[in-house]
Amino acid sequence: NCWEQGGASSIASCLLTTLPNNPDGTLPLADLEAAIQADDPHLPRSRLVCLENTHGGCLGTAVPVDFMAQVGALCAANNLSLHVDGARLLNAATA
């Protein structure tokens, strides 16, 4: 979500890199890979990728499982953790 940058910095002392998503709630994997910061003392280290499912900014669209698997493989290849926020998933399942 492109609008959640300030809270994480204030509360958790971390920096976020947000990426614009596609209309279906996914994002280009090349953009995600390009956003991974190298282990450089002048830059914040990338350690975690967070996805929303369902995607609130896309009218509750459920993000495809195969996309999440691709992101998981990208995270594994780059030693990153993956968090999938499923707060709205049960709402989508009942809709």
Side-chain angles (χ1 to χ4, degrees), residues 61-87:
T61 302
V63 178
V65 173
D66 63 324
F67 170 74
M68 290 188 291
Q70 292 172 9
V71 173
L74 182 80
C75 289
N78 289 281
N79 198 30
L80 300 173
S81 297
L82 173 61
H83 169 75
V84 179
D85 183 354

Side-chain angles (χ1 to χ4, degrees), residues 2 14 27-28 31 36 40 56-57 60 67 77 92 95:
C2 292
C14 65
L27 54 103
D31 290 357
I36 297 171
D40 180 321
F67 170 74

Side-chain angles (χ1 to χ4, degrees), residues 9-26:
S9 297
S10 298
I11 296 169
S13 298
C14 65
L15 295 175
L16 303 180
T17 300
T18 58
L19 299 172
N21 56 272
N22 296 321
D24 67 353
T26 64

